Amino acid sequence: MKFLGKSSRQRTVFLPLCWLLLKFLQPGRCHLYNNRYAGDKVIRLLPKTEGQVHALKKMYHTLQVDLWQPSSISYVSEGAVVDVHILQNASQALLAFLHEANIQYTILIKDLQKTLEKDSSLRTQRNRRSLSAYNYEAYHSLEEIQDWMHQLNKTYTGIIHMFSIGRSYEGRSLFILKLGRRSRAYKGAVWIDCGIHAREWIGPAFCQWFVKEALLTYRSDPAMKKMLNHLYFYVMPVFNVDGYHFSWTHDRFWRKTRSRNSGFHCRGVDANRNWKVKWCVEGASMHPCDDTYCGPFPESEPEVKAVANFLRKHRKHIRAYLSFHAYAQMLLYPYSYKYATIPNFSCVESAAHKAVKALRSVYGVQYRYGPASHTLYVSSGSSMDWAYKNGIPYSFAFELRDTGYFGFLLPEMLIKPTCTETMLAVKNITMHLLKKCP
Ligand SMILES: *[C@@H]1O[C@H](CO)[C@@H](O)[C@H](O)[C@H]1NC(C)=O
Ligand SMILES: *[C@@H]1O[C@H](CO)[C@@H](O)[C@H](O)[C@H]1NC(C)=O
Ligand SMILES: *[C@@H]1O[C@H](CO)[C@@H](O)[C@H](O)[C@H]1NC(C)=O
Ligand SMILES: [Zn+2]
């Protein structure tokens, strides 16, 4: 278990350097991400009436707000909780509007830049203290995650195999870790991806955690042993590699891929609206500048196309598709694109019910679960629906912690509890697969 304990770390230079400048040398001089969030706010809106919802939707189209939760304005209804990121120069207008429309709200983050810098300085201090051990309770840059994968591939040759399924828009390799002992007997498989949306950093942290736990416990834990004996796990720690990289270097709240959109200055496509399943019909945007832009055509994004090709090729033996997002604390299954339940509802429903119960047993954290359309909002072109439609019977999307207090800036302190409880849910779903339903 050498590598799980120790590794050489080469942290991106950018953050520590900035941290040093912030701390000692020139306070106020160095700002992360070019100070782009100075004075921005994150506000939670609580529309209570139909009229307020209507007003909110109108406001959305005039003011520049970025929805943090949920990410589709069309499905906001009375009683919804809507978190928005508002730029500094528009925040007065938004507050005035809220008073005018009599919409209840709370300010979650007063100054996003300050919050971000505090969050990041804590992170850097923490990492500096643990240079000698691979720290699974830290967020890692893309480069670090890929180094880690290469190391595992070298160290655990019998049980891990790392390969690439293609390249991203910007030419980065799309790496997968395949876990499980090779065996002559037929083995099913589980697909796990994290980081479809760049800013949801807890996702890749969970994928790393999952791999670590599998390697550390498959000898001692009968459940893990059974999982790895009977199944392969394909783990893609960072799906949207370009976007994730960009969220470290330029824009912490970047969500989409980084492809160019011809004729527009806005970049990127929502990699979770780009799948060929009722593509761009509802809960997705046709406009390249929107965060839920579905792209010019299905699978236009090389990352989506590569994964779709892989899943198509292996769908006969892939039994489950698990995709990790944040935040909302939900466990979702199809359909996402319509208000309907899937044919074999009861098997999937009972798997979700038990998984959520197992998750709650650790720290009492409550997850809602159900068809995505009922539980979250309608969205077409999602990977989860696509996987289900393409013959993978158990298809789930996790929305991990929290419910908005930290939102995308979930502190590193919460990586361990979040991953520990999520691990139980994933194991529970997997054990469910290995039994005959129900
Ligand atoms: C993983 O290791 C194997 C050898 O054990 C090697 O053939 C393969 O190229 C490695 N994968 C990557 C992506 O480097
Ligand atoms: C799954 O979770 C349920 C509910 O908490 C529990 O009763 C069951 O034992 C768990 N199964 C496994 C295999 O962990
Ligand atoms: C759903 O039901 C069909 C027919 O009853 C069966 O072939 C299929 O395997 C079932 N899928 C799941 C997820 O159980
Ligand atoms: Zn997401």
Side-chain angles (χ1 to χ4, degrees):
M1 297 289 142
K2 209 168 69 227
F3 184 65
L4 292 169
K6 286 194 190 327
S7 91
S8 62
R9 298 174 41 84
Q10 309 153 308
R11 178 146 274 273
T12 325
V13 197
F14 177 65
L15 292 174
L17 205 64
C18 222
W19 175 78
L20 279 175
L21 282 168
L22 278 172
K23 197 86 188 162
F24 304 113
L25 305 175
Q26 294 174 304
R29 268 296 180 76
C30 177
H31 288 291
L32 294 173
Y33 303 100
N34 241 340
N35 208 24
R36 66 187 299 152
Y37 307 109
D40 290 10
K41 296 185 193 321
V42 178
I43 303 181
R44 169 162 292 181
L45 316 176
L46 302 159
K48 294 271 190 280
T49 67
E50 220 173 297
Q52 291 176 349
V53 168
H54 185 71
L56 199 72
K57 288 182 179 173
K58 250 174 74 186
M59 175 281 298
Y60 177 79
H61 294 291
T62 50
L63 290 178
Q64 249 212 316
V65 302
D66 173 23
L67 285 177
W68 277 22
Q69 187 201 22
S71 36
S72 181
I73 191 73
S74 10
Y75 293 94
V76 168
S77 56
E78 305 101 272
V81 174
V82 185
D83 296 350
V84 301
H85 166 198
I86 181 88
L87 303 183
Q88 185 210 10
N89 59 16
S91 61
Q92 282 313 316
L94 176 62
L95 292 175
F97 157 79
L98 293 172
H99 286 133
E100 173 84 10
N102 205 15
I103 295 175
Q104 219 183 315
Y105 68 91
T106 47
I107 297 184
L108 296 178
I109 298 177
K110 247 189 348 224
D111 184 328
L112 193 52
Q113 186 69 29
K114 288 205 179 106
T115 304
L116 188 66
E117 280 174 10
K118 206 170 114 213
D119 169 79
S120 156
S121 71
L122 285 174
R123 213 163 57 229
T124 319
Q125 281 169 319
R126 195 185 163 82
N127 286 331
R128 292 163 69 81
R129 269 193 260 110
S130 53
L131 280 178
S132 63
Y134 198 87
N135 189 354
Y136 288 93
E137 296 178 48
Y139 295 117
H140 292 281
S141 66
L142 182 68
E143 194 189 12
E144 288 170 346
I145 294 174
Q146 292 186 341
D147 286 349
W148 168 83
M149 292 170 85
H150 282 293
Q151 282 298 334
L152 292 183
N153 188 48
K154 271 192 225 144
T155 315
Y156 298 93
T157 46
I159 193 156
I160 278 197
H161 181 66
M162 175 191 183
F163 58 95
S164 166
I165 55 164
R167 289 193 177 271
S168 70
Y169 182 80
E170 292 177 345
R172 297 185 173 87
S173 291
L174 301 169
F175 287 125
I176 313 288
L177 291 173
K178 180 181 183 184
L179 274 71
R181 289 214 170 279
R182 228 162 293 154
S183 118
R184 250 182 259 151
Y186 178 82
K187 280 173 83 161
V190 173
W191 169 277
I192 295 178
D193 64 49
C194 297
I196 284 188
H197 291 138
R199 63 194 178 186
E200 300 164 6
W201 286 9
I202 187 64
F206 175 73
C207 266
Q208 292 196 284
W209 191 278
F210 177 85
V211 171
K212 170 201 72 143
E213 281 295 303
L215 293 175
L216 280 178
T217 65
Y218 77 93
R219 286 176 208 277
S220 54
D221 172 19
M224 188 60 85
K225 183 183 253 168
K226 190 168 175 194
M227 284 163 61
L228 290 183
N229 280 343
H230 289 85
L231 297 162
Y232 290 116
F233 286 82
Y234 295 107
V235 182
M236 187 176 197
V238 187
F239 182 113
N240 176 6
V241 283
D242 298 346
Y244 186 71
H245 178 75
F246 192 72
S247 76
W248 276 73
T249 56
H250 287 81
D251 180 349
R252 175 64 184 85
F253 303 108
W254 188 256
R255 167 183 168 95
K256 299 189 285 183
T257 61
R258 290 293 301 156
S259 52
R260 281 176 204 280
N261 295 308
S262 64
F264 289 86
H265 67 281
C266 301
R267 281 202 182 200
V269 166
D270 185 337
N272 206 28
R273 300 287 186 283
N274 190 233
W275 299 69
K276 201 171 181 171
V277 52
K278 290 279 150 40
W279 174 77
C280 218
V281 174
E282 276 192 271
S285 166
M286 308 262 271
H287 196 284
C289 291
D290 285 349
D291 252 351
T292 53
Y293 176 46
C294 57
F297 52 88
E299 294 179 23
S300 62
E301 302 313 283
E303 302 82 4
V304 172
K305 192 171 185 66
V307 173
N309 281 341
F310 183 86
L311 294 175
R312 269 190 286 263
K313 195 168 154 199
H314 296 272
R315 67 178 153 203
K316 286 224 171 66
H317 78 283
I318 296 182
R319 308 274 319 279
Y321 171 87
L322 308 178
S323 193
F324 288 85
H325 291 259
Y327 56 93
Q329 295 180 190
M330 290 177 185
L331 176 52
L332 309 168
Y333 48 84
Y335 296 106
S336 196
Y337 72 83
K338 62 176 177 186
Y339 290 107
T341 50
I342 51 180
N344 290 11
F345 177 70
S346 63
C347 287
V348 171
E349 202 268 350
S350 75
H353 172 78
K354 282 193 267 172
V356 161
K357 208 168 143 198
L359 186 150
R360 188 172 58 232
S361 72
V362 192
Y363 302 104
V365 169
Q366 304 268 0
Y367 267 51
R368 289 166 60 200
Y369 68 94
S373 50
H374 292 79
T375 314
L376 193 56
Y377 47 75
V378 174
S379 65
S380 53
S382 74
S383 65
M384 179 186 76
D385 279 351
W386 185 90
Y388 181 76
K389 284 272 183 184
N390 280 270
I392 301 177
Y394 289 90
S395 182
F396 292 102
F398 279 79
E399 291 281 350
L400 300 179
R401 289 198 201 182
D402 56 11
T403 54
Y405 185 79
F406 294 110
F408 301 121
L409 297 178
L410 192 74
E412 290 186 324
M413 227 173 54
L414 296 179
I415 293 177
K416 184 178 177 181
T418 303
C419 293
T420 303
E421 68 194 10
T422 307
M423 204 59 211
L424 278 198
V426 172
K427 282 170 79 173
N428 203 287
I429 288 177
T430 310
M431 296 305 276
H432 185 97
L433 291 183
L434 292 174
K435 289 191 208 124
K436 278 230 164 76
C437 176

